[in-house]
Amino acid sequence: MCSTRRDFLRQSLLILPPIALSASLFPSTAWGAQSSGGTVINVRDKGAKGDGVHDDTSAFQAAVDALPPSGGTVTVPSGNYIIDAMRSINLRSNMLLQLAPDATLTAIPNNSPRSHVIKVWNANNVRITGGRIVGERNEHSGAGGEWGYGINIQSSNHVRVSDMHISDCWGDGIWIGALGPDGHATPSTDVTIDRVVSTDNRRQGLSIGPVDGVVIMNSTFSNSDGTKPMSGIDIEPQAQGLARNITIDHCIISGNHGTGMEIHYNVSNVTIKNCTFRNNQGYGLLTVDSPSNLTITDNVITNNGLVGLVIAGQTTHVKATGNTLTGNSARYARRIANALASPAALANVQKRELRVDAGTSDVSVTSTKFSQ
């Protein structure tokens, strides 16, 4: 992360109590064998105990590796499966990893700056559905780093994650990105995240690096807290490559210690619609460092600590329409409290709800609802 970005985001942080995640947001799914091919392998048949004590990593990997090249399904019955995130569960192409709704993958505490409970690297046609992932942030014995992931998807195509609950990771709940050197990395393509809750992670609920074609829908990203940026969603390919053709639809981004969602450079063609950004301690939604071609429509941005919607840093080609901005900039509210009784009340409210900075271009903001 560049120093200018850290300086910009440092102003987003307030010390407020965390927002509890409603149990109603936890997704549920019917449990049954949804085969991704002809072969179905139960992790218990490969020696997994699911007793919350035994290290089940090798059994999971044995089940994955036993699938034929044509693909298949690895099923995970109810239980608490202990996973060594330093070794990870390495998924392969043409497979479904199907967890029972009450199956949990619990990471073994480590002291490493980097670890992964589930890795999807250089794979095609992968589905992950059901269950929970619990990271090891609360028992992590190291001090540095921010790369402890629940699910890490890199340089993979046609991946779908659904009906999962991910929490307490040392870094991000989910990372979607690329493998390879800056400017030449192979992006992930055609990735869908649906009905997922990612909460109480140390760095971010979801981070997106170089990608081409990502849909995030019906999901919640909340209560990120521990190391900056601490946002719900962060689109941050930086110099590694391009992030483009991304849709965020019907999501809740709430209670994060930093900004609700932030979008940085080397990002284009992003649509954010029908989402709620609430009770984040920084900005509700921030674009900075020259992203382009953004559509921001029919969202509710409310009760965030700083300005609700900020379009900044040479952002170009933005269409924002039909958004509702209310109760934002609690940090600044006292400064304009007296002005709210004056004829300039609406202008003052709008200033703390919406900010379009100099340096942006081709920005259209229409049909926006403000509170007084």
Side-chain angles (χ1 to χ4, degrees), residues 331-347:
R331 182 173 178 176
Y332 301 134
R334 287 190 298 274
R335 300 184 187 179
I336 65 171
N338 294 333
L340 293 181
S342 74
L346 182 58

Side-chain angles (χ1 to χ4, degrees), residues 303-308 327-334 351-353:
N303 295 328
N304 297 287
L306 299 177
V307 179
N328 295 292
S329 296
R331 182 173 178 176
Y332 301 134
R334 287 190 298 274
K351 184 176 180 180
R352 63 190 180 96
E353 302 284 5

Side-chain angles (χ1 to χ4, degrees), residues 83-107:
I83 302 299
D84 183 353
M86 297 299 298
R87 291 187 289 150
S88 311
I89 303 168
N90 298 276
L91 302 189
R92 45 160 294 176
S93 295
N94 304 316
M95 70 164 290
L96 164 65
L97 177 65
Q98 186 180 22
L99 293 87
D102 53 353
T104 299
L105 308 181
T106 300

Side-chain angles (χ1 to χ4, degrees), residues 302-316:
T302 183
N303 295 328
N304 297 287
L306 299 177
V307 179
L309 173 59
V310 177
I311 302 171
Q314 299 182 328
T315 301
T316 63

Side-chain angles (χ1 to χ4, degrees), residues 135-146:
E136 45 81 55
R137 66 168 292 176
N138 295 323
E139 296 179 326
H140 189 84
S141 56
E146 54 188 31

Side-chain angles (χ1 to χ4, degrees), residues 14-39:
L14 296 173
I15 301 175
L16 295 174
I19 305 302
L21 182 66
S22 170
S24 65
L25 296 177
F26 177 72
S28 61
T29 183
W31 167 245
Q34 303 174 15
S35 178
S36 186
T39 300

